[in-house]
């Protein structure tokens, strides 16, 4: 490649990245607007939560609506929120009267801990089992793992979580059933770390079990596809060992789709762990989302959706850029 | 002349005085009690809003003038007695003289007057609108506080034992800040109750420690942890494996299993919160009293109780909860179940059958989905209605959708709801008084309004009971609503724990853990 070609490629790449970032910002703006409209259109409102189910008190209702600016027109509310959001201020929760930024930052760590750990475990276990199943296609191992993973794929995560609680907590007494720490104890140092890990065990087991089939299927089909490519047949004809063909050519080509799925899983991390956080009373963002939905806590919901749309857009842009690096044709699209 | 009601309340005080020291003198057992709550509290200031998740903790670190016991009747708290002037325009509370905040300051009438004056002046406080009949609150001396009424309303005494009425320390809150902005609303370090605030872990727990200087005696356990468990199924498992000690309102599906489990004790907790059908009296079809009567005759309460709630919630025939025996009229009740009589009522009223055998078509009952037995009960009623020639379809909605349609828009014909009918029977006024916010039926009857007004203008219990029963007699005829079931649910706790809130009728507060202790 000469210099001019290199400069052209670099220029095109920059242009592509800028275009992708701009389209990402536009997407975030559209999602922000749509979620604002959808949230406001949903029946119910946070004032009803604040005043209580049995308290249809018009005076209190009007006072609270005024306090939270809900008596203003929708465009006024929208632009007020938008101007704060672009400055990084996600507003104040109507229910908890706390900064939404603060509430999200307190919860995000617990969710990432649960989501990331289970995603990595599911990636490693699912991919390993998938590759082994592909390499022993048609064997008893392949049949057993395929049936098991397909079954796991159909099992609702909240049900599986409850079954694990009944088995490992109630029947066997091995692990705690809920929360992040033991309520009766106040552990510190390493004992605290061990306590948190014990509490993580069942939610992570559940999440890993329900996520793993996705990696299993992808890894298995990718390996089978690559192993049937003509160049593999050619390599076999050269006398190269199966082990070397697999490690040097099949594995590298087959692993890419799995990495893509991992990236997407990360982007959807919050929604992915919501139900599990509820079942195990894990103090993360997923539970915050579900509570905010039930209470119609507009600022909290809007803030969480904004964070989610930004994180999804960022991951998608990164994935696109990585693909563009590997496949130059994409830059010209 | 002081009102007779004072005598009844004095008896309650006497009982409390006799019983409480006995518990206080027992050797403390110590330990950490773990109690389940459903979610995070909105704040740690229980006098701003009505917050179910703060109700339990707040009951244990602050005090009110009066509090509710397990039977949902008021018992003394900071006020050891009270009386109502003859004209009903003055309600005087006499405070205990041995109450202190945790920083050593005395809890006195100034704190009470400050708290309720602030609430009255701030319309965003939950209890503010409930004080519309209160002109002012004054501290007469350090241990006497007077509520000067704009209009006579004795119902406020019982309401003071409900949400949004906790006494706050004036020397902490009266600093020029609004309550919501005061750090003490986030971290209540100066408190007065049996426990002191230790720590709040968002999404996890609230920890309280025993207050050795509490006027009711040092609590039996060292620490209470209110553990936040959102999912009821998980909470049941946590109770079974000993991670928590108490679980209120247990899912009914576990009752049979837990009754057979020696490690757990179940106690039925009844509330004056009947499950009822509300008729929209402003609807063209439903405004016909004959049709409302016919539909009421299609309600087989025994069948609904057995099939929809496994018999846990008993049938409720009275128009006001029979649990509150002194005010409930058990003679003038809703029409008895009879499909034949329902059909006859329609025929007598001039309805005629169409080709499909229906007298009335196109009726809908709106119920919300969060309590499965609502939909089940509605379906059983609809099936009986069909037999009587009334076409009734069941519309199950998510709670917020139901609330929007029924509560805000009043766009319904029949709806099913629960809801507290206490702590004073005058809560009926909120439900059926002309123009009241919670009067979903749109019902209006000047005689009922007048009777209810008279019932809050006197402190004489017998007189009040008479007015309430007269109201129920009218309601049983005109049927703006009809009760179906008495709300009840099982509270469960470990067999190694005793003196729980459910055991405290007449002795200690509902949700209060001062005397709860571990046993061998």
């Amino acid at each position: 490649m000469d210099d001019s070609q290199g400069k052209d490629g670099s220029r095109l790449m920059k242009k592509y990245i800028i275009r992708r970032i701009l389209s990402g910002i536009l997407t975030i703006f559209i999602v922000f607007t749509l979620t604002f409209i959808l949230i406001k259109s949903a029946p119910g409102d946070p004032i009803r939560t604040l005043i209580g189910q049995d308290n249809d008190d018009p005076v209190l209702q009007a006072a609270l609506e005024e306090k939270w600016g809900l008596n203003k027109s929708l465009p006024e509310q929208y632009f007020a929120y938008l101007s704060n959001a672009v400055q990084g201020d996600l507003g104040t929760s109507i229910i908890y009267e706390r900064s939404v930024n603060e509430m999200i930052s307190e919860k995000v760590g617990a969710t990432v801990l649960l989501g990331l750990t289970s995603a990595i475990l599911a990636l490693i276990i699912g991919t390993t089992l998938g590759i082994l199943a592909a390499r022993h296609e048609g064997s008893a191992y392949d049949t057993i793992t395929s049936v098991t993973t397909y079954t796991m794929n159909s099992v609702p995560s909240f049900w599986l979580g409850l079954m694990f609680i009944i088995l490992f907590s109630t029947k066997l007494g091995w692990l705690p059933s809920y929360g992040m720490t033991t309520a009766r104890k106040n552990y510190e140092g390493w004992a605290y770390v061990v306590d948190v890990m014990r509490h993580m065990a069942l939610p992570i087991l559940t999440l890993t079990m329900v996520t793993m089939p996705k990696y299993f299927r992808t890894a298995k089909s990718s390996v089978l596809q690559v192993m049937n490519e003509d160049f593999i047949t050619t390599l076999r004809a050269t006398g190269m060992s199966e082990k070397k063909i697999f490690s040097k050519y099949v594995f590298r080509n087959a692993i890419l789709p799995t990495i893509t799925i991992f990236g997407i899983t990360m982007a959807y991390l919050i929604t992915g762990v919501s139900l599990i956080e509820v079942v195990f009373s894990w103090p993360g963002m997923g539970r915050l989302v579900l509570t905010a939905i039930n209470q119609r806590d507009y600022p909290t919901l809007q803030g969480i959706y904004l964070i989610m749309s930004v994180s999804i857009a960022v991951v998608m842009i990164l994935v696109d850029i990585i693909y563009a690096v590997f496949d130059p044709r994409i830059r010209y699209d | 002349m002081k009102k007779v009601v004072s005598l009844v309340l004095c008896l309650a005080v006497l009982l409390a005085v006799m019983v409480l020291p006995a518990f206080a003198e027992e050797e403390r057992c110590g330990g950490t009690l773990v109690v389940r709550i459903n979610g995070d509290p909105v704040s740690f200031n229980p006098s701003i809003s009505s917050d179910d998740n703060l109700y339990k903790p707040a009951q244990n670190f602050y005090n009110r003038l009066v509090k509710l016991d397990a039977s949902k009747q008021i018992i003394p708290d900071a006020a050891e007695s009270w009386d109502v002037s003859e004209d009903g325009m003055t309600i005087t509370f006499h405070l205990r003289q041995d109450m202190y905040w945790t920083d050593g300051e005395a809890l006195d009438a100034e704190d009470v007057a400050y708290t309720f004056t602030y609430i009255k002046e701030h319309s965003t406080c939950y209890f503010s609108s409930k004080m519309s009949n209160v002109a002012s609150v004054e501290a007469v001396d350090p241990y006497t506080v007077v509520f000067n009424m704009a209009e006579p309303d004795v119902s406020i005494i019982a309401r003071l034992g409900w949400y949004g009425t906790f006494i706050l320390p004036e020397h902490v809150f009266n600093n020029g800040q609004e309550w919501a902005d005061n750090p003490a609303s986030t971290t209540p370090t100066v408190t007065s109750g049996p426990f002191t605030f230790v720590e709040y872990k968002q999404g996890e727990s609230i920890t309280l420690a025993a207050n050795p200087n509490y006027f009711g005696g040092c609590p039996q356990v060292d620490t209470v942890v209110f553990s936040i468990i959102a999912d009821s199924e998980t909470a049941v498992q946590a109770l079974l494996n000993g991670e928590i000690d108490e679980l209120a309102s247990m899912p009914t599906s576990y009752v049979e299993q837990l009754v057979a489990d020696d490690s757990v004790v179940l106690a039925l907790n009844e509330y004056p919160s009947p499950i009822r059908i509300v008729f929209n009296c402003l609807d063209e079809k439903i405004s016909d009293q004959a049709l409302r009567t016919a539909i009421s005759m299609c309600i087989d309460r025994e069948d609904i109780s057995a099939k929809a709630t496994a018999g846990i919630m008993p049938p409720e025939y009275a128009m006001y909860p029979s649990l509150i025996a002194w005010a409930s009229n058990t003679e003038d009740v809703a029409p008895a179940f009879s499909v034949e009589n329902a059909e006859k009522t329609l025929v007598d009223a001039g309805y005629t059958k169409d080709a499909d055998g229906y007298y009335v078509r196109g009726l809908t009952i709106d119920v919300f989905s969060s309590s499965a037995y609502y939909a089940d009960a509605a379906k059983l009623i609809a099936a009986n209605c069909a037999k009587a020639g009334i076409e009734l379809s069941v519309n199950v909605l998510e709670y917020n959708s139901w609330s929007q349609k029924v509560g805000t828009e009043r766009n319904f014909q029949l709806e099913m709801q629960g809801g507290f009918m206490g702590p004073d029977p005058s809560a009926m006024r909120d439900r059926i008084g002309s123009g009241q916010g919670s009067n979903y039926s749109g019902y209006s009857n000047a005689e009922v309004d007048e009777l209810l007004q008279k019932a809050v203008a006197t402190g004489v219990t017998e007189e009040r009971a008479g007015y309430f029963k007269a109201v129920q007699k009218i309601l049983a005829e005109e049927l703006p609503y009809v009760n179906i079931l008495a709300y009840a649910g099982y509270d469960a706790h470990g067999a190694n724990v005793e003196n729980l809130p459910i055991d405290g009728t007449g002795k200690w507060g509902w949700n209060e853990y001062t005397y709860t202790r571990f046993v061998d």
Side-chain angles (χ1 to χ4, degrees), chain A residues 43-44 48 53-57 60 63 95-98 106 170 176-178 181 184 279 281 287 294 296, chain B residues 32 41-42 123 126 129-130 202-204 227-229 234 237 242-243 245 399-400 403-404 420 437-438 440:
Chain A
R48 172 72 62 174
Q53 280 186 25
D54 296 334
N55 188 37
D56 280 83
D57 182 336
L60 179 60
I95 304 297
Y96 296 100
E97 287 207 33
R98 294 188 61 211
E106 280 172 0
T170 309
S177 63
Y178 79 96
T181 52
R184 281 185 218 279
V279 170
S281 280
R287 244 174 74 192
N294 285 333
R296 300 291 193 264
Chain B
T32 297
V42 168
S123 56
Y126 172 81
S129 57
K130 312 282 186 285
Q202 211 204 6
E204 287 192 75
S227 225
I228 298 166
I229 307 177
T234 307
Q237 299 306 321
E243 287 177 274
D245 299 306
Y399 177 74
N400 283 293
S403 180
Q404 174 86 17
F420 198 52
S438 297
Y440 287 15

Side-chain angles (χ1 to χ4, degrees), chain B residues 309-437:
Chain B
T309 77
I312 292 167
M313 296 193 198
E316 180 63 86
Y317 298 93
M319 297 303 287
Y320 185 73
S322 43
L323 180 69
I324 312 295
W326 70 271
S328 180
N329 184 343
T330 48
E331 288 173 11
D332 301 302
V333 296
F337 168 63
S338 168
V339 171
E340 295 74 28
N341 286 347
E343 192 168 356
K344 185 175 179 303
T345 303
L346 290 175
V347 172
D348 291 348
Y351 288 86
T352 51
K353 263 187 185 175
D354 67 10
D356 298 323
Y358 286 107
Y359 295 98
V360 185
R361 303 202 71 145
L363 298 184
T364 302
I365 179 168
D366 293 310
V367 298
F368 52 84
S369 56
S370 40
S371 301
Y373 61 87
Y374 273 45
D376 293 341
K379 284 171 192 165
L380 290 168
I381 294 165
N384 285 332
C385 280
K387 288 177 199 164
I390 302 167
E391 187 187 49
L392 178 66
S393 58
V394 179
N395 185 26
V396 184
L397 298 155
E398 179 265 342
Y399 177 74
N400 283 293
S401 305
W402 176 89
S403 180
Q404 174 86 17
K405 184 172 187 282
V406 172
T408 307
E409 297 167 5
R410 303 289 156 102
N411 173 23
F412 70 97
Q413 292 177 310
L414 288 80
E415 58 101 352
M416 194 179 287
Q417 62 170 235
F420 198 52
M421 292 278 255
D424 188 87
S426 63
M428 273 195 284
R429 188 173 54 173
D430 302 338
R431 307 283 183 190
I432 40 103
S434 300
Q436 294 295 314

Side-chain angles (χ1 to χ4, degrees), chain A residues 85-106:
Chain A
V86 293
Q87 295 170 56
D89 177 6
L90 299 177
T92 305
S93 159
I94 293 175
I95 304 297
Y96 296 100
E97 287 207 33
R98 294 188 61 211
S99 152
V100 174
N101 296 51
E102 203 178 289
M103 285 168 66
I104 291 175
S105 61
E106 280 172 0

